[in-house]
Amino acid sequence: MTRLLRGGPWLAAVILLFAACFHEAFLGEQFDFRDAAHFYYPLYQRVQMEWEAGRWPLWEPEENSGMPLLGNPTAAVLYPGKLIYAALPYPLAARTYVIVHVLISVVGASLLARNFGIGWAGSGVAGIAYAFSAPILFQYCNIIFLVGGAWTPFGLRAVDRWIRGGRRSALVELAIVLALQVLGGDPQSAYFVGLCAGGYALGMAYARNRAGSPARRGGVGRGIVIGAIAIVVWVGLVLAAAAILPGLRPPSPRPPTPTFAWSPWVSPAVMAAWAIVGLLMLRGYRRGKGLACTLLPILIGLAVAAMLAAALSAAQLLPVMEFTSLTSRSADEGSHDIYPFSLEPVRLLEFALPNVFGSTTRGNHSWVSAIPPSAVHRIWVPSLYAGGTTLILALAAFGFRRAEPWRGWMSGILVLSLLGAFGEFGSPLFWARGIPALESVIGPRDPENTNAIRMDRHLRDGDGSLYWAMSIALPGFQGFRYPSKLLSLSLLAMAVLAGAGLERLLAGDGSRARRGAIALLVLTVAGTSIVTLGRSFVLERLRSFESASGFGPFQPEGALEDLTWAVIQGLVVGGSTMLIWMLARRRPGTAGALATLVIAIDLAIANAPTVLTAPQSEFDAEPKYLAVIAEAEKKDPAGGPFRIHRMPIWNPAGWALEPSPDRVLDFLRWERDTLQPKYGITRGVEYTYTQGTAELFDYEWFFGPFDQPVTPALAAQLGKIGTHERIIYYPRRGFDLWNTRYFILPGYTVWTDVERGVASLLQDADPLYPDPRRFTGPDRDEQIKKWLRDEDIQIVRNRNFMPRAWIVHQAWFKPPIKGLSREQRARPMEEMTFADDSIWRDPNRVVHDPRRTAWIEDSNPGPIQQAIMNTRAHSDEYVRIVSRDPQRVELEARLVENGIVILADTLYPGWKLEIDGKPAPILRTNRLMRGALVEGSPQPHRLVYSYDPNSFRVGRILSLLGIAFAFLGFAWSYRSDRKRGMAAP
């Protein structure tokens, strides 16, 4: 009963927060905004459709001409938590899945705090402060990161139980947690847990090795001096490298090597360095002295847990690794940009004041872009707020000197994860480039839309940062992106330290908490004075800032209102924390209950508005423009399957000019109506090219835009462009080849803009929507302006689209391309996609007709050449698709003479072919299509493609073995722990 009463405030706080954040979801509305709506809702529904059809969800034919579904890490196909979708109707399951993982976050952070010996009050605070902090709560928009964050506390708890407590059963627990994170779609969170474990192991081994040694005098001062010298040296080295290295790189017409892999020996050198470290550690262990004796057994245990986790998740992990190895993330010259969504240091103010830079959910009130440098702001989460009281209590427990091992560990995680989250802003190079005098020496800041590389051979802005160092030194880390994802570790460490700080306060050690509360009060009193007494001045400054986005024009009055409420809420929180400090001296129980409720109310007010929902009916409605395409097909059927291409990112032009009472709902309706991927995949829509977390490297080559010079004739044809400009060109032939019948494009075109430069896609195309006859009468121009402002969409039908399958009798034979090199692919891909149209013209190139000729890669082309030599097409030959489902395609083909039957679906490991019931080789045709050599015959042939990947078959076996080892390992380790008196959690 006493424990129940003691847990009453915590239970009330949890109920309050769930009600405040999820009441609309409880009432039947669906989570909306960003990836929650257009990415995960249809993707997970597509997975469930496969389960309901009685198939393993292995392949998805609706995107990118077919791509793996099990191998897509974001699909989380085999994650046990997805059983929720099997037990409940899909709309309810989608909501429940989010809410359950927030609850797991609460429980996990609370248990982690309890594992560190923090009392019930502090553990409860840790749970709610972590789960309902803005960076964690907002991940309902990106559910795989919420899943990873939910299991992270359990992973760190298992790490501590092994390293500090020596419990062998904790290794099995750790393996299960890591496997759940991988299966849940967030292998990066598992990587983070491993990094934290490695750092903790090193720190604990050093502490144990130093135990009993006399303390060094002046250790703190010496450490500060050494750290300062190291920073100065590092800054000098980075700036020197930025000045010298570009001159050492030879100019090339091809894109240069990415800056995190300046030469081919970098990766081997890093691996060699790790091997040397391992050998030195092994040598020290064999000698029986030094740090290695303590550290190596701990690391071996962690390695065993990692291997068991890999085995448990192998059924999904192996297909994911297979897919990732073929995407741009594994490109030889470098992968994607690793710096997007870096955290601006100025945003650390959001830890203390909620929404201090304004919000966008009730209009465009955000003024963070007004803070220089204004061109680099990309927001990962709308706020960093975890509660002002949480911040004060965390700082009260933060520290390394004379701290418990776990407290030093949490403090280290907090510092390093924040520094890593800064991304490019953590590099001295970024800040030095803000000094005009240095630009000529070290280069200017990154141009807008810079990807993994800079074409001018200069270092990237973020090179030299902690995140850059991690991508260099840690194997596999460069495959990740978004530095702000490290904030999940920052918030977990802050929440646990806040729990420890509350326990200190309740135990009578509240001096640091009092100073923190006073500091917050001083900050908010000053802020309140500025926004009240200087209201006119602040409003004038805000009005001088001009900005517009899809949320509408910037609203300075709304920004000032948000700023005012931020400082007022901070003032109330600071005063409440002072009250908690005063109560703790006489009535600690009341103070603990008050602290829990203050944090809960604070978080509910500040962060609940970030959880956005929409009526379920909006998700169930038929997309408006899908009906336009269906009507067009009734009038003029394609005669077979076809694909559409919807330009990925644009909003109606008028949205930047006019505010909306609910722009988030506007986003949902417009994106769904216009079939933004992935909204159509559950309705039979097949997309030519969609952009997600990763795409096949070879496939992207068919559609990647580049610029072309504008000739006088082209300028006259297009209008709105001068001959001195360069036009954006999307390789039209690529879309034709891949069976693209319809284009859904922006209505307002800007030929030089990568999102609206669709000139090549409008050529040889018939307009379907809007009907050109719609704009008539004397107000025709006004009608067109209204259409561009409110709808901003046009749909055209491609006259040059090629069928899903066709027959050729001629071929260009190429040697197989090894690896993922850009240099090897440039020439053959240009040959395939060059059509010598009015935009991409080159008299020195030869135009090939892909309807007559195929590009075939084969190491032994002789038999194929011999088989089709001197053959020709006949009018009565044909190929048609008889039946198809996601993992099986059946074709019927009749050829008078030998030929190549081409299927415009992606060639991917695991696809097998049978011709007339006999296995046959699949020819790599047109770089990524499936080709088959078919004999001429009076009778039609039956071609059957089926998907049966070896990666899944091997992975299933490994996962079954992993489950068996996990059961046996846990039974043995638990028994061993009991004998050693360590079974208690």
Side-chain angles (χ1 to χ4, degrees), residues 171-188:
L171 294 175
V172 182
E173 296 175 24
L174 177 59
I176 293 172
V177 170
L178 296 178
L180 288 172
Q181 290 177 306
V182 171
L183 293 172
D186 190 14
Q188 188 171 3

Side-chain angles (χ1 to χ4, degrees), residues 523-582:
L523 174 66
T524 53
V525 166
T528 305
S529 301
I530 292 172
V531 298
T532 53
L533 300 178
R535 182 178 182 83
S536 299
F537 173 77
V538 174
L539 190 57
E540 182 182 352
R541 297 295 297 173
L542 289 173
R543 284 173 176 165
S544 66
F545 167 58
E546 295 182 3
S547 176
S549 70
F551 289 94
F554 176 63
Q555 298 174 294
E557 292 80 6
L560 180 59
E561 180 184 353
D562 285 355
L563 176 59
T564 302
W565 279 111
V567 294
I568 290 175
Q569 186 168 341
L571 184 63
V572 172
V573 169
S576 301
T577 307
M578 283 295 295
L579 178 60
I580 293 167
W581 171 76
M582 290 185 288

Side-chain angles (χ1 to χ4, degrees), residues 577-706:
T577 307
M578 283 295 295
L579 178 60
I580 293 167
W581 171 76
M582 290 185 288
L583 279 175
R585 303 170 65 184
R586 296 182 180 179
R587 303 183 66 178
T590 304
L594 180 61
T596 303
L597 294 176
V598 165
I599 291 174
I601 295 171
D602 184 24
L603 291 175
I605 294 173
N607 294 343
T610 65
V611 180
L612 304 173
T613 59
Q616 181 62 45
S617 59
E618 300 288 347
F619 289 82
D620 299 333
E622 185 76 11
K624 174 182 177 180
Y625 298 107
L626 182 58
V628 174
I629 293 176
E631 184 64 25
E633 279 300 296
K634 285 182 182 179
K635 296 178 179 179
D636 183 10
F642 60 86
R643 298 187 174 99
I644 70 167
H645 176 65
R646 196 267 196 195
M647 286 292 288
I649 301 174
W650 91 92
N651 300 315
W655 284 10
L657 305 175
E658 298 178 3
S660 168
D662 193 345
R663 183 64 85 206
V664 173
L665 182 58
D666 294 340
F667 274 121
L668 172 63
R669 288 172 175 169
W670 189 78
E671 291 174 352
R672 187 171 180 80
D673 279 341
T674 60
L675 295 173
Q676 176 168 320
K678 307 184 177 334
Y679 277 125
I681 64 174
T682 60
R683 297 177 178 270
V685 175
E686 296 185 56
Y687 294 95
T688 303
Y689 180 52
T690 66
Q691 295 177 344
T693 55
E695 291 74 45
L696 291 175
F697 182 65
D698 285 309
Y699 194 72
E700 290 181 310
W701 277 85
F702 287 93
F703 314 105
F706 51 91

